[in-house]
Amino acid sequence: MLPLDAEHTLREIRTGDGAELARAYTANREHLAPWEPLRDASFYTAEWQENHARQCVVDAADGRGARFVIESSDGRILGRVNLNNIVRGAFRSADLGYWVDAEHGRRGLASRSVRAIVEHAREDLALHRIQAATLLHNVASQRVLAVNGFARIGVAPKYLHIAGEWQDHVLFQLVLDDPVSARERP
């Protein structure tokens, strides 16, 4: 568990999270729709989310992913932070993804969560690099990345199929070996 503040922690997804994940995704369905792939109705069920939680645990054990939930002190899941597609060897890299509950946005929770996952990636996973992608108009997410030292590295045309169409994304990276003072700051 990684403390974020007095009321929130970042913890790895575990079996048994399915019902609470389903509640969180259902509550944020409209909020997340512009930023995510189209979801089948089954995605919002406890059964689907529990199967996904089990897969997250397997992926973590195999070193392929590190997927976390943002949890409030009362046990509610208020978002996710994921390191996906972890590659070892000469690359030692992963893709970052995250979201925060609509009612808890603009309070620094995403920034603190990304900061915590960056330290986890550096200290515990010994990664060299993290990449993130945002839609061109997702200024709030770009701000979270900038605050955490990510550098913009380009635009990828038709990068991901989001909200029913192939959309361009801005790509960012953070090289974890670089000292903090060497990173670009806004």
Side-chain angles (χ1 to χ4, degrees):
M1 250 197 246
L2 307 169
L4 300 175
D5 57 36
E7 298 177 25
H8 304 97
T9 58
L10 194 63
R11 69 157 174 85
E12 288 187 89
I13 290 179
R14 57 185 176 224
T15 57
D17 281 340
E20 182 55 22
L21 282 165
R23 185 215 52 81
Y25 275 109
T26 299
N28 286 280
R29 190 174 189 164
E30 188 175 317
H31 168 61
L32 295 174
W35 318 111
E36 292 195 336
L38 295 177
R39 305 288 193 190
D40 185 85
S42 64
F43 176 85
Y44 299 93
T45 66
E47 179 182 17
W48 194 100
Q49 291 297 328
E50 186 60 29
N51 287 335
H52 176 68
R54 281 195 287 275
Q55 187 60 54
C56 289
V57 170
V58 169
D59 289 348
D62 291 343
R64 290 189 306 261
R67 298 181 185 111
F68 291 75
V69 294
I70 300 167
E71 188 175 56
S72 64
S73 57
D74 65 0
R76 290 183 59 226
I77 291 175
L78 302 176
R80 297 269 311 261
V81 182
N82 302 311
L83 290 173
N84 297 308
N85 307 317
I86 294 175
V87 177
R88 296 290 176 179
F91 198 36
R92 288 194 352 241
S93 187
D95 295 315
L96 172 69
Y98 52 90
W99 65 268
V100 172
D101 183 281
E103 293 182 13
H104 292 84
R106 303 206 183 277
R107 299 180 193 173
L109 196 52
S111 293
R112 289 191 304 277
S113 297
V114 168
R115 186 174 310 116
I117 206 72
V118 163
E119 289 308 312
H120 176 70
R122 176 186 292 116
E123 302 301 324
D124 301 322
L125 301 178
L127 294 179
H128 165 70
R129 178 182 172 278
I130 301 173
Q131 177 175 301
T134 72
L135 289 167
L136 299 180
H137 60 282
N138 192 345
V139 176
S141 190
Q142 292 168 19
R143 194 173 311 117
V144 166
L145 294 170
V147 163
N148 280 287
F150 282 75
R152 180 183 165 135
I153 57 173
V155 174
K158 299 183 180 181
Y159 187 65
L160 292 172
H161 200 256
I162 301 296
E165 62 184 288
W166 290 102
Q167 296 197 44
D168 300 349
H169 281 67
V170 181
L171 301 180
F172 294 83
Q173 75 172 6
L174 178 63
V175 177
L176 300 171
D177 299 344
D178 290 348
V180 173
S181 61
R183 293 187 207 137
E184 290 183 27
R185 291 290 180 190

